[in-house]
Amino acid sequence: MTEATVTQRRVLNVGGQSRAIQLPGAYAGFEQVLLDLDPNVGADIVLDVRELTSLAPHQFDAVYCSHNLEHVRKHEVPVVLAGFLHVLKPGGLAQIVVPDLQELMVTCVQQGIDLDGLLYDSPMGPITPLDVLYGHAGMIEQSGQDYYAHRTGFTSRTLANVVEASGFGPMFCQQGNLELNLITFSGNPDPELATLFN
């Protein structure tokens, strides 16, 4: 009698910068494949996120994209999302985390914060509204790399609209802490993944 082989689930961490940055707990037990444009971060795949369709299709159970989608231009967002669909297995999950520009605007108005005022302190240092809108100024200056700049932005409605228009299935979006956290599926959700991500 042979034991059934359990295949380890795989997540593509898009633009994750470093394995030292922890993925959310739901990915515990997943094999993480790090994709990044920067060849110096030790990525498994060095590739521009707009070129995901050059990879073999249907090889990942999940795509995790945190604070990366805002780094491409508005007209390139559907290209990136098509790449997510390309690499995902049927029923696979994409998790997209981006700044919430609507909450940013409301916060600035309600708290009287100017564009260069302090929103909050982070491990990278003070964060201003300009950092959220255009990319962290200190990181862009220190690295000398333009790809750290933000080229588009989202509200919950605009993010949901572009994800739906790209052909994804059911989606769920959580707002808070100046972020949008959207989970969506490639077609009908894999029941185990849907349960895992609640």
Side-chain angles (χ1 to χ4, degrees), residues 8-30:
Q8 185 179 23
R9 290 194 181 272
R10 302 175 78 217
V11 56
L12 181 66
N13 183 0
V14 174
Q17 292 185 339
S18 168
R19 291 182 188 283
I21 300 172
Q22 292 287 320
L23 295 182
Y27 295 103
F30 280 62

Side-chain angles (χ1 to χ4, degrees), residues 41-74:
V41 301
D44 301 298
I45 303 170
V46 177
L47 188 71
D48 189 305
V49 70
R50 295 165 293 189
E51 298 171 356
L52 287 175
T53 54
S54 68
L55 300 177
H58 313 306
Q59 58 173 309
F60 294 99
D61 300 280
V63 170
Y64 179 71
C65 180
S66 180
H67 289 277
N68 193 270
L69 196 58
E70 67 271 20
H71 291 266
V72 300
R73 293 174 181 86
K74 179 184 175 184

Side-chain angles (χ1 to χ4, degrees), residues 9 61 90-92 185-195:
R9 290 194 181 272
D61 300 280
F185 292 87
S186 173
N188 293 323
D190 175 314
E192 288 183 13
L193 283 176
T195 301

Side-chain angles (χ1 to χ4, degrees), residues 16 37 56 63 70 72 75 77 88 96 98 104 111 141 147 151 156 167 173 187-188 191-192:
L37 181 61
V63 170
E70 67 271 20
V72 300
H75 69 275
V77 171
L88 279 173
I96 301 166
V98 293
L104 172 68
Q111 297 182 17
E141 181 181 7
Y147 50 71
R151 293 177 172 83
S156 59
C173 188
N188 293 323
E192 288 183 13

